[in-house]
Amino acid sequence: MILDPHHRFQEHPGGISIDVVKEGVRYRDQLEPFKDVVDDIFAIYAGTVFRLPLRTVKQAEQSKIKTSHTSVEEIGTILSNFCERELGEVLLFLKHITKIEIRHIDRDGQSKVIGSVTIEDIPSPHTVAQGIHFRGTLLQSVNGNTETKWCIRTLQIDKAQAKEAMSERLGYDVGDSLTSDKLSPLVQLASPINGELIGSLYTLLPLPIRTCFPLHLNAVFALTPDRQSLKNIEEVGTLESRERFAYNSVLVLGLC
């Protein structure tokens, strides 16, 4: 699938979906970058692959989305910093992704791994039901290999209980908001077995919000669209925001 947010393709405004098995040979140049991670770029692949082209200087001048361009050097710096500072912890609260690998492919097609992380000891339903489990993180980065053992405490609140508490706090029946807004009544805490850290808030992935606690806290927080901060119930004032805000409060109260 090729996306066209500017609607410049007259025949296919917005984008086009292509069957790579039947038509892939015609678009070899578009599929070539995937050959290092996909065994056969013209066969069915059991997964999802994204290619995000960098915005060139010329494209930036014409873009209706953003007028700044991005260089290869800038992306390289961002990825290197990500490997050194964040890669070892991004998998802590994800359910299905167990490995992330950052790889640089140069103009000659030579591939080099910049950093990778693998999460092990995926908890079984039985261990989650007990409320506590352990995960081992193997991190390979520019500084070598390290292994960190994490203790994760999980609190699962019954949906009916959460719905009742939210309705009481808001003064009206929230109905099926938990389901429609995809709010899971669950909160998790993660702390390394060895070592110290300055904790952050997570909504599956880390947020740029530090806490005063020596642990990470994961919950479905009410976030601004850029995921840089929490929504303020007084500023937003919509029913949806009030419900999500109350839901966060219920989780924290349950945790305490």
Side-chain angles (χ1 to χ4, degrees), residues 54 70-84 102-104 114 142:
L54 302 184
T70 305
S71 67
V72 174
E73 291 73 22
E74 287 176 307
I75 288 296
T77 299
I78 290 174
L79 292 178
S80 294
N81 290 338
F82 173 73
C83 289
E84 292 183 8
I102 309 297
R103 189 183 298 191
H104 177 254
I114 301 175
V142 292

Side-chain angles (χ1 to χ4, degrees), residues 166-175 238-240 242-243:
M166 287 173 60
S167 298
E168 182 179 349
R169 288 178 65 84
L170 293 173
Y172 59 86
D173 187 354
V174 299
T238 64
L239 288 179
E240 180 182 349
R242 285 175 56 84
E243 291 171 359

Side-chain angles (χ1 to χ4, degrees), residues 57-155:
V57 175
K58 183 177 180 181
Q59 290 171 337
E61 294 174 349
Q62 303 172 352
S63 177
K64 298 178 181 178
I65 300 173
K66 195 171 184 179
T67 57
S68 61
H69 70 282
T70 305
S71 67
V72 174
E73 291 73 22
E74 287 176 307
I75 288 296
T77 299
I78 290 174
L79 292 178
S80 294
N81 290 338
F82 173 73
C83 289
E84 292 183 8
R85 303 172 185 174
E86 301 180 59
L87 183 60
E89 300 178 3
V90 294
L91 293 179
L92 279 174
F93 301 111
L94 297 182
K95 298 178 181 178
H96 305 293
I97 299 176
T98 59
K99 181 178 180 179
I100 296 177
E101 184 176 87
I102 309 297
R103 189 183 298 191
H104 177 254
I105 305 172
D106 62 22
R107 295 179 182 273
D108 298 324
Q110 299 298 315
S111 178
K112 177 184 177 182
V113 175
I114 301 175
S116 67
V117 62
T118 303
I119 197 85
E120 297 180 338
D121 303 329
I122 304 301
S124 66
H126 174 68
T127 57
V128 172
Q130 292 178 337
I132 192 167
H133 61 271
F134 298 90
R135 304 182 82 171
T137 300
L138 294 176
L139 171 63
Q140 175 187 333
S141 68
V142 292
N143 297 320
N145 297 333
T146 60
E147 180 176 350
T148 305
K149 197 77 169 180
W150 291 84
C151 175
I152 299 182
R153 176 73 165 90
T154 300
L155 174 67

Side-chain angles (χ1 to χ4, degrees), residues 189-210:
L189 305 177
S191 179
I193 301 300
N194 298 312
E196 300 178 353
L197 61 78
I198 300 176
S200 296
L201 296 183
Y202 279 62
T203 293
L204 295 180
L205 292 171
L207 304 171
I209 304 172
R210 295 291 189 179

Side-chain angles (χ1 to χ4, degrees), residues 31-48:
L31 299 173
E32 197 73 12
F34 301 134
K35 67 179 182 181
D36 283 295
V37 292
V38 178
D39 294 332
D40 185 350
I41 58 176
F42 303 123
I44 294 176
Y45 176 65
T48 304

